[in-house]
Amino acid sequence: MYSPIESEQGFNFKPELPTSSAYYRLLKKIRRQVGHAIRDYKMIEDGDKVMVCVSGGKDSYTMLDILLQFKRIAPINFDVVAVNLDQKQPGFPEDILPRYLEENNIPYYILEKDTYSITKRLTPEGKTYCAVCSRLRRGSLYGFAQEIGATKVALGHHRDDIMATFFLNLFHGGSLKAMPPKLLSTDKKNILIRPLAYVEEKDIIKYAEIRNFPIIPCNLCGSQENLQRAMINEMLREWDKQYPKRLHSIFGALQNVSPSQLADRDLFDFEVLDEQREFDQNVDTEALKNRLDVVNLSFAAE
């Protein structure tokens, strides 16, 4: 859907910044949303070294671009380093990301690991690659974050990804969970952040198109789970067209959880409710009993 801008000299990896008013309105909106997410969840602090996971897709390019802008203007000091995991997928254009990062003076690492072959070997015939692929990718990236001394690992999931994951778990996993904007990894060694948590995918699509990022599509995935996610994404897009405020309301619900109004016994202690019950000491229990007797007699008469 997206591709680098090609000229007689080849791909243009460092196009001039757009100057249209529409671009600046969109940029202002995305920067505001990213700034609010960083503030609300205390994602980045003074002295942090943020490892930005860059896949070559529109989301990670946008995240990297906005974080670099914040690095220049933020009142705190933090470093940004881009890291790409080259999974040795056949046909992957290995030169595109390094050229883009070098020509834009962005510090980066290319981590080479053949997780593609392992994913193909471990995934049963007809099943999705995503579970194995993502697990291997996370393990490689999280371990590398420790090697380079990164204090935060930034992932490019946006608002729509978070909601799609919520509905995938709701419809197919029997659980109420999504992707949190900030998370401590299972091994408790990495803090994961999602600076695009408040940003809508349609705005990222527009931003990537305007900025002409050299997008690299992922051709590895495409079976059952992805089909389910694709169906949910289509459902969300249709809702957004028909009911513009619905997705905003759904995401707001993820930030406004009432454990006592659900049914998870581990999340809320229903057994202590009897102990917490308070009785009104001023109630005349004898008078109340007489009133109830009258009510009971009236029902009996009918």
Side-chain angles (χ1 to χ4, degrees), residues 122-156:
L122 295 181
T123 303
E125 185 70 27
K127 298 295 183 179
T128 176
Y129 297 129
C130 286
V132 176
C133 177
S134 61
R135 187 162 59 249
L136 293 172
R137 188 171 63 247
R138 285 196 303 268
S140 299
L141 289 170
Y142 296 173
F144 191 67
Q146 294 294 302
E147 292 182 30
I148 64 173
T151 55
K152 302 287 171 60
V153 177
L155 306 175

Side-chain angles (χ1 to χ4, degrees), residues 217-233:
C218 176
N219 298 317
L220 176 62
C221 304
S223 50
Q224 187 175 6
E225 184 179 86
N226 275 330
L227 177 60
Q228 293 169 351
R229 182 175 285 274
M231 292 172 63
I232 287 175
N233 285 334

Side-chain angles (χ1 to χ4, degrees), residues 88-148:
K88 298 305 174 183
Q89 181 177 333
F92 183 81
E94 296 181 355
D95 63 310
I96 289 183
L97 264 173
R99 284 184 58 189
Y100 172 82
L101 297 168
E102 288 171 8
E103 294 189 22
N104 288 277
N105 298 313
I106 301 170
Y108 75 94
Y109 294 93
I110 302 296
L111 179 60
E112 297 186 1
K113 288 201 174 184
D114 187 4
T115 60
Y116 173 82
S117 298
I118 300 173
T119 298
K120 294 280 286 185
R121 186 176 73 249
L122 295 181
T123 303
E125 185 70 27
K127 298 295 183 179
T128 176
Y129 297 129
C130 286
V132 176
C133 177
S134 61
R135 187 162 59 249
L136 293 172
R137 188 171 63 247
R138 285 196 303 268
S140 299
L141 289 170
Y142 296 173
F144 191 67
Q146 294 294 302
E147 292 182 30
I148 64 173

Side-chain angles (χ1 to χ4, degrees), residues 165-176:
T165 301
F166 169 77
F167 283 109
L168 269 174
N169 285 314
L170 180 67
F171 296 159
H172 305 288
S175 62
L176 286 178

Side-chain angles (χ1 to χ4, degrees), residues 10-220:
F11 290 130
N12 182 3
F13 288 90
K14 195 175 180 181
E16 294 183 5
L17 288 177
T19 58
S20 68
S21 58
Y23 164 71
Y24 282 107
R25 284 196 301 271
L26 180 60
L27 174 62
K28 183 179 179 181
K29 178 182 180 182
I30 293 177
R31 279 178 33 168
R32 182 180 69 251
Q33 291 171 331
V34 172
H36 286 173
I38 291 174
R39 178 202 63 197
D40 291 349
Y41 296 94
K42 205 173 182 180
M43 292 184 181
I44 300 176
E45 300 175 88
D46 191 49
D48 269 340
K49 182 175 183 178
V50 182
M51 186 181 103
V52 180
C53 299
V54 182
S55 65
K58 67 184 189 311
D59 306 328
S60 59
Y61 273 123
T62 298
M63 175 178 62
L64 176 63
D65 192 58
I66 298 298
L67 288 181
L68 287 170
Q69 293 182 44
F70 278 153
K71 173 178 166 55
R72 293 193 293 268
I73 64 175
I76 61 173
N77 295 313
F78 65 94
D79 293 325
V80 172
V81 58
V83 174
N84 169 253
L85 175 62
D86 181 355
Q87 299 176 271
K88 298 305 174 183
Q89 181 177 333
F92 183 81
E94 296 181 355
D95 63 310
I96 289 183
L97 264 173
R99 284 184 58 189
Y100 172 82
L101 297 168
E102 288 171 8
E103 294 189 22
N104 288 277
N105 298 313
I106 301 170
Y108 75 94
Y109 294 93
I110 302 296
L111 179 60
E112 297 186 1
K113 288 201 174 184
D114 187 4
T115 60
Y116 173 82
S117 298
I118 300 173
T119 298
K120 294 280 286 185
R121 186 176 73 249
L122 295 181
T123 303
E125 185 70 27
K127 298 295 183 179
T128 176
Y129 297 129
C130 286
V132 176
C133 177
S134 61
R135 187 162 59 249
L136 293 172
R137 188 171 63 247
R138 285 196 303 268
S140 299
L141 289 170
Y142 296 173
F144 191 67
Q146 294 294 302
E147 292 182 30
I148 64 173
T151 55
K152 302 287 171 60
V153 177
L155 306 175
H157 302 115
H158 46 69
R159 187 201 69 169
D160 299 57
D161 285 329
I162 293 173
M163 289 191 294
T165 301
F166 169 77
F167 283 109
L168 269 174
N169 285 314
L170 180 67
F171 296 159
H172 305 288
S175 62
L176 286 178
K177 64 179 181 180
M179 296 174 174
K182 185 177 181 182
L183 177 70
L184 178 63
S185 61
T186 304
D187 61 9
K188 302 188 184 302
K189 293 181 179 180
N190 290 288
I191 296 290
L192 316 178
I193 60 174
R194 295 183 170 98
L196 300 180
Y198 291 171
V199 183
E200 300 171 50
E201 183 179 28
K202 61 185 179 184
D203 287 337
I204 294 174
I205 292 173
K206 292 177 187 175
Y207 190 78
E209 287 177 338
I210 294 173
R211 290 299 309 275
N212 293 319
F213 293 134
I215 303 298
I216 304 172
C218 176
N219 298 317
L220 176 62

